[in-house]
Amino acid sequence: MLDFVYDGSFNGLLTAIYEIYYRRQVPQQLLSRSSQTPKLFVREERIITDETKAGKVYEAIDNKISSRSLRHIYYAYLSEHMEAGIWIYHYLHLGWKLGNKLDLLLSDERVHRIHRLSQKVSMERHRLLGLLRFQLLRGNIYYAALEPDHNIVELLAPHFAARMADQNWVIHDVSRDLAAVFNRKEWLATDFTRQHRLELLKEEEYYQQLWQEYYNSMAISSRINPRLQKRCMPQRYWKHLVEMS
Amino acid sequence: MMEILKKLKILADSAKYDVSCSSSGSKRTNQTGGLGNSASSGICHTWTADGRCISLLKILQSNNCVYNCSYCVNRVSNDLPRATLTPDELCDLTINFYRRNYIEGLFLSTAICKTPDHTMEMLLQTVKKLRKEHNFHGYIHLKAIPGADNLLIEAAGKYVDRMSVNIELPSERGLRLLAPQKKHEAIIKPMNFLTSNIAAGKAERRKSRKAPLFVPAGQTTQLIVGATSDPDLQILKLSENMYKRFGLKRVYYSAYVPVSHHPHLPDISSPPLLREHRIYQADWLLRFYGFKADELLDDKNPNFAEDYDPKTDWALRNLDYFPVEINRADYEKLLRVPGIGVKSARKILTARRMHSLDFEDLKRIGITMKRAQYFITCKGKYSGPTAMEEHLLRPRLTLLPPHTAGPEQPSLFSFSSDVIAPEDAFTSVSGEI
Ligand code: SF4
């Protein structure tokens, strides 16, 4: 048996898909990195990312299937689900036949599981549009840390670039060492590790305190319902919420 | 600093019973490199300990009221700490909360300070400052004050995304008894005024994209459930009527929270949450499912059942409408099936364009069959676990959690939040019924 291993980038994944057709060889898995535990009877093949090959696949999806499917694929990729790679291949394989009808075939598992991944990612994005918290640092930079399930920093950035257009900000995915950085004109995604402790501006604590006060006074004590609260706002996001610390 | 903290606590505390909090439906963009825009689908920023979404900074500008509505904590005769925020203080709070992404915008309401005109003037100043001085484009929902000069309301309408006038109580009689200073006509007047101005504003925008926005996210209202003896039927008919007459975007319902004892107020210990919940479900049915108030309730049964959501209840009384064939029924008909919501119905329409669907297909595309299975056929086949007869279906579809079903059921008013079954609880928020 055979696994393809690509470099984790979206172009890498598309290159791997190109190779499947070129080599006429369908692997068991398309992995973003080598599996931790060596598997018996499984050979791993490294795929070298190639922009031209990736570009061809990208164009083909956009032209022969639809831009909507392309979006589903990108979101499914960002889910970082272990099997996302190979599922995307099977989804596309069906797509070459069905063209822009692909996404109508909701009852087919190959379509359904991609939609499910894509939806998970867009749900988390939507959630974090609200749950992201900026803190004002020395030097007038608004800094937000997050540890999302999926790799969504790039999906958040355009929203905040439009909204907080007159602020310098950094949105930092702490678990992936990635960030989107905005300078009041444009944003870019970059590798990012925080070197030292955050130095908050003095007024920052004041507004945090006000927000906590506000948050606490909004609860209606006769209706307290922690189960409902956790269902709406899963506990794993609480760590970076001013009002929950 | 401490001063603001204290004021914030007092004024947030007074505002929290106001339930309308959604921020969706506006289209204000940030063209000037200023601060903020409004998202077309609402964004929740956090959830309170009672599980409600916080989207907007919901606050009163002042709780220093000259009126004496007996159902309200802020009534003049109540002994309670009072506070008023200046327009500048309010702007500072809004802007700084917004910059940190705590909120989607501001929902500003207030008690009646001195006179309606004075009060409306104060609100107007605040929203004008936010837009003009702070270059703020985030969402603003403002209360219009009944009895204030139309000119003031019109001026404020140019700066805000949504306005609402609270109808408060479902009947004039209720108003007379509980809020003697409020007049029914005084409430209806600004609603009418807003309706025609919003329509005029829209017409202008159609002619020119540059025409100024006037309350682009429309008008809403709120009423209190359970402070008067008005039955659900009357409440629902009132809403139906207001949707038609004023083109309201939403009617919000708020279970009466007992705040005082008064001969005209019901003597209850906790808010009638289940009742509020049922009315919300029915409200969705009015707005998106093609139901009429008269279909859901009548004079013989003027109140919603506790143990069935309004759609299931209707279905059980109208079994001759069923079963609905999934592969042939049109959208309207699909929507009548208990458990098939707007999203599910759309999914079915999409999926069956490819091929006809059986039960397994339905499950695979994510339709919950728990309720629906009793009311549908797929390719002519019925596969509910029991025959479609009322006495067989009723026990299977009841929503009461097992420990409360039984001879000594608690009365409607004693329901606390955990008595609404989980599968039931979300439908009044999601609208998928
Ligand atoms: S007008 Fe009535 S409902 Fe409004 S704050 Fe004053 S007392 Fe309360």
Side-chain angles (χ1 to χ4, degrees), chain B residues 349-409:
Chain B
L349 292 185
T350 309
R352 78 183 190 197
R353 276 165 61 191
M354 293 298 278
H355 55 79
S356 55
L357 308 171
D358 57 29
F359 283 94
E360 286 309 306
D361 290 330
L362 289 182
K363 274 188 208 146
R364 241 172 276 137
I365 66 177
I367 311 291
T368 10
M369 301 297 287
K370 197 167 172 213
R371 317 202 128 245
Q373 59 178 341
Y374 299 101
F375 300 96
I376 59 173
T377 55
C378 291
K379 304 184 194 167
K381 246 178 61 198
Y382 178 79
S383 61
T386 173
M388 221 181 64
E389 281 171 42
E390 193 179 338
H391 69 280
L392 296 173
L393 294 183
R394 282 207 175 263
R396 286 170 176 262
L397 289 168
T398 176
L399 283 167
L400 283 192
H403 65 274
T404 55
E408 74 276 59
Q409 282 178 15

Side-chain angles (χ1 to χ4, degrees), chain A residues 104 107 112 129-130 132-134 142 163 166-167 204 207 210 213-215 217-219 223 225 243, chain B residues 8-9 16 36-37 42 45-47 49-50 52 58 92 96 98-101 104 273 276 350 364:
Chain A
L104 296 180
S107 61
H112 187 232
L129 291 183
L132 200 73
R133 296 287 177 268
F134 289 102
Y142 286 85
R163 174 166 289 198
D166 65 345
Q167 294 172 214
E204 178 58 31
Y207 288 110
L210 284 175
E213 187 69 46
Y214 177 75
Y215 175 78
S217 49
M218 285 316 279
R223 290 183 169 201
N225 188 346
E243 64 272 25
Chain B
L8 178 70
K9 191 170 158 41
K16 71 182 168 194
N37 55 7
H45 285 257
T46 189
W47 280 264
D50 49 310
R52 284 173 311 137
K58 190 191 293 184
D92 184 67
N96 278 290
Y98 194 87
R99 286 194 179 286
R100 288 163 177 77
N101 203 39
E104 216 33 41
L273 291 178
E276 174 197 290
T350 309
R364 241 172 276 137

Side-chain angles (χ1 to χ4, degrees), chain A residues 98 101-109 112 126-136 142 159-167 203-204 206-211 213-229 231-233 241-244, chain B residues 1 4-5 8-9 12-13 15-17 30 33-39 41-52 54 56-59 92-93 96-104 255 257 271 273 276 347 350-351 353-355 361 364-366 417 422 426:
Chain A
L98 294 177
K101 293 218 171 60
L102 174 63
D103 290 309
L104 296 180
L105 202 61
L106 297 176
S107 61
D108 191 292
E109 183 57 19
H112 187 232
H126 187 80
R127 223 173 215 160
L128 277 155
L129 291 183
L131 292 179
L132 200 73
R133 296 287 177 268
F134 289 102
Q135 299 181 285
L136 185 53
Y142 286 85
H159 171 86
F160 290 103
R163 174 166 289 198
M164 315 299 190
D166 65 345
Q167 294 172 214
E203 62 175 88
E204 178 58 31
Y206 165 62
Y207 288 110
Q208 289 193 6
Q209 199 190 348
L210 284 175
W211 174 242
E213 187 69 46
Y214 177 75
Y215 175 78
N216 290 330
S217 49
M218 285 316 279
I220 296 180
S221 52
S222 58
R223 290 183 169 201
I224 296 297
N225 188 346
R227 251 185 33 226
L228 183 61
Q229 182 189 30
R231 190 160 153 189
C232 299
M233 180 168 72
L241 291 176
V242 171
E243 64 272 25
M244 302 310 288
Chain B
M1 265 196 192
I4 300 282
L5 198 68
L8 178 70
K9 191 170 158 41
D13 226 34
K16 71 182 168 194
Y17 295 109
N30 183 352
L35 174 66
N37 55 7
S38 62
S41 62
I43 296 175
C44 283
H45 285 257
T46 189
W47 280 264
T48 56
D50 49 310
R52 284 173 311 137
I54 296 185
L56 304 172
L57 168 60
K58 190 191 293 184
I59 195 165
D92 184 67
L93 272 176
N96 278 290
F97 280 8
Y98 194 87
R99 286 194 179 286
R100 288 163 177 77
N101 203 39
Y102 299 163
I103 54 170
E104 216 33 41
V257 181
L273 291 178
E276 174 197 290
K347 264 196 213 157
T350 309
R353 276 165 61 191
M354 293 298 278
H355 55 79
D361 290 330
R364 241 172 276 137
I365 66 177
S417 48
F426 262 76

Side-chain angles (χ1 to χ4, degrees), chain B residues 65-69 71-76 110-112 168 182:
Chain B
C65 202
V66 293
Y67 284 9
N68 202 26
C69 313
Y71 50 82
C72 175
V73 274
N74 298 322
R75 64 191 183 280
V76 61
T110 185
I112 309 293
E168 306 279 17
K182 287 182 179 161

